[in-house]
DNA sequence: GTTAAAAAGTGGTCAGACCACTTTTTTGAT
DNA sequence: ATCAAAAAAGTGGTCTGACCACTTTTTAAC
């Protein structure tokens, strides 16, 4: 599984080396980085390779470049953004539990919102899941939760959820078992009736069975 | 305010042109993109510039490159990631409400977790806020919420919150008013005692007054 | 028709050049 | 000695050409 990741990504290595350089040199936010030519020499790579790495970090908002002035470490509040990303992008998956748990935060909130909103909890889409459960005997777990998230109408939360769900995919993107079928039915029914507490209980039970 | 953003970012223009090219050519996920040399010619720029743009998109996970094979549009689930980012990176802030609301999702969840966990709700840090409120008459709203998020121990949720809070900063990074003082005290006290419902009620009231 | 070799295509990297802009240093007039 | 203008150095921005390693396609031989 790790064969591919460790293979060879010279380009990413430069990014990592740059991060290391920033850490070792204790370069603070707003301070200047070594010039491209100096970096090229110190890292033993061509200037164009350095630029490719720098350009990536710039798009991420980690650094800022001023034509003729130099390259500077971006303001701190932008770093936070990068940290979130790098956790995924750089495969820093030392906290899979956090990913799962954070995903569930959004799912629970969506269930609450829908249960408390007449217009949302009476949507015909929920009945469609009942039909599917009856006919096919199972539903795709991810589909159910995605629909829940979509229904709330919070685009940002939806996208964050997509992101989290993508990295927790194996346990999510599958068909429900017979055991889960009953739990999901209970959850959806409670939601439709506006029983927030019962819907959440069923959800917790669902996640607990996985 | 927009003077700087529109100035000149030739590098970002290429990224945009690539996005446009992908859209116009209807290139689907997994399909091949034109080669670097072809792109260089079609866009009227040097190959190194094209590569800088491609490398950025690669770090974002939008594209995949195979040595000797070509450049391919990444799988869809990776796109979602990019969308979240671009919402911030490309300053596409057409949904400030969503940012605020999503931020509050995490804050509410943190309050729930703390209220239900003996070890967390009896932490001495909460008392320190009472002291500060008495002596100085006010606390920094952001500080309170940050401490709440930190306490839960979910690093990922914390970082997402930092990100969201940074873009909703003005209304958050300020001292509490006299009116808020009482509400915050109520919220913290309820949390300490494990009264989840009351703590959340106070929180909702707090956010409602802003 | 199959297979092996050759060719073409493509990404990966480097080196050098030139331009535009900024910062620093030097110069010269007061 | 001071200050302003000019020159120099430093730096990012971009392009070109070259070579290598790898993959895909084409060709040639059987």
């Amino acid at each position: 599984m790790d064969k591919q990741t460790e293979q060879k990504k010279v380009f990413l290595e430069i990014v990592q080396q740059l991060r290391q350089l920033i850490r070792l040199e204790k370069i603070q936010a707003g301070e200047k980085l070594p010039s491209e030519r100096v970096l090229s020499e110190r890292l033993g790579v061509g200037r164009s390779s350095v630029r490719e790495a720098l350009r990536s970090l710039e798009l991420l908002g980690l650094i800022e470049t001023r034509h003729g002035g130099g390259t500077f470490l971006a303001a701190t509040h932008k770093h936070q953004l990068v940290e979130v990303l790098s956790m995924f992008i750089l495969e820093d998956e030392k906290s899979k539990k956090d990913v799962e748990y954070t995903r569930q935060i959004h799912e629970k909130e969506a269930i609450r919102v829908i249960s408390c909103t007449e217009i949302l909890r009476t949507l015909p889409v929920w009945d469609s899941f009942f039909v599917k459960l009856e006919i096919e005997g199972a539903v795709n777990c991810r589909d159910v939760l995605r629909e829940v998230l979509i229904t709330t109408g919070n685009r940002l939360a939806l996208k964050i959820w997509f992101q989290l769900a993508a990295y927790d995919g194996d346990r999510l993107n599958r068909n429900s078992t017979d055991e889960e079928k009953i739990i999901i039915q209970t959850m959806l029914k409670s939601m439709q009736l506006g029983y927030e507490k019962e819907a959440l209980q069923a959800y917790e039970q669902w996640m607990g069975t996985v």
Side-chain angles (χ1 to χ4, degrees), chain A residues 13-158:
Chain A
E13 272 181 30
I14 296 180
V15 173
Q16 295 289 11
Q17 282 182 314
L18 283 174
R19 287 178 66 113
Q20 183 180 344
L21 184 143
I22 290 171
R23 199 180 66 246
L24 292 179
E25 305 263 328
K26 291 190 172 57
I27 298 175
Q28 302 298 315
E31 290 182 0
K32 198 170 173 183
L33 266 63
S35 74
E36 296 179 353
R37 289 169 178 85
V38 171
L39 285 174
S40 167
E41 195 175 349
R42 283 179 54 176
L43 300 180
V45 296
R47 189 180 157 211
S48 37
S49 295
V50 171
R51 279 187 61 81
E52 289 179 11
L54 288 176
R55 244 24 68 212
S56 302
L57 296 180
E58 182 178 8
L59 208 165
L60 283 177
L62 229 185
I63 60 174
E64 292 174 355
T65 47
R66 301 169 202 163
H67 190 177
T71 307
F72 300 82
L73 206 56
T76 39
H77 78 89
K78 302 217 171 186
H79 289 209
Q80 307 298 346
L81 169 63
V82 172
E83 294 239 21
V84 182
L85 316 184
S86 63
M87 176 173 289
F88 299 92
I89 293 174
L90 300 178
E91 331 266 297
D92 176 6
E93 41 187 344
K94 57 171 161 273
S95 43
K96 282 214 166 190
K97 272 287 174 192
D98 280 355
V99 175
E100 177 188 359
Y101 186 63
T102 307
R103 199 199 77 222
Q104 293 179 358
I105 290 176
H106 285 91
E107 291 165 356
K108 284 188 288 185
E109 176 66 17
I111 291 173
R112 283 194 196 92
V113 170
I114 295 174
S115 297
C116 297
T117 313
E118 173 81 16
I119 300 175
L120 299 182
R121 65 183 173 84
T122 56
L123 245 40
V125 65
W126 310 124
D127 281 318
S128 74
F129 282 120
F130 283 107
V131 175
K132 197 158 190 172
L133 276 167
E134 286 307 317
I135 295 176
E136 302 179 15
V139 290
N140 183 290
C141 298
R142 186 193 167 92
D143 287 347
V144 176
L145 293 171
R146 190 183 61 233
E147 198 59 38
V148 168
L149 264 293
I150 290 176
T151 303
T152 65
N154 185 333
R155 284 176 52 232
L156 175 58
L158 175 64

Side-chain angles (χ1 to χ4, degrees), chain A residues 130 133 139 144 176-191 198-210:
Chain A
F130 283 107
L133 276 167
V139 290
V144 176
S176 57
T177 64
D178 289 344
E179 187 187 358
E180 287 177 304
K181 176 180 172 181
I182 302 171
I183 300 174
I184 296 176
Q185 284 174 326
T186 304
M187 188 188 83
L188 291 174
K189 203 70 204 171
S190 302
M191 248 175 50
E198 285 75 8
L200 281 175
Q201 267 182 343
Y203 170 83
E204 300 270 14
Q205 192 184 350
W206 182 16
M207 290 301 136
T209 61
V210 180

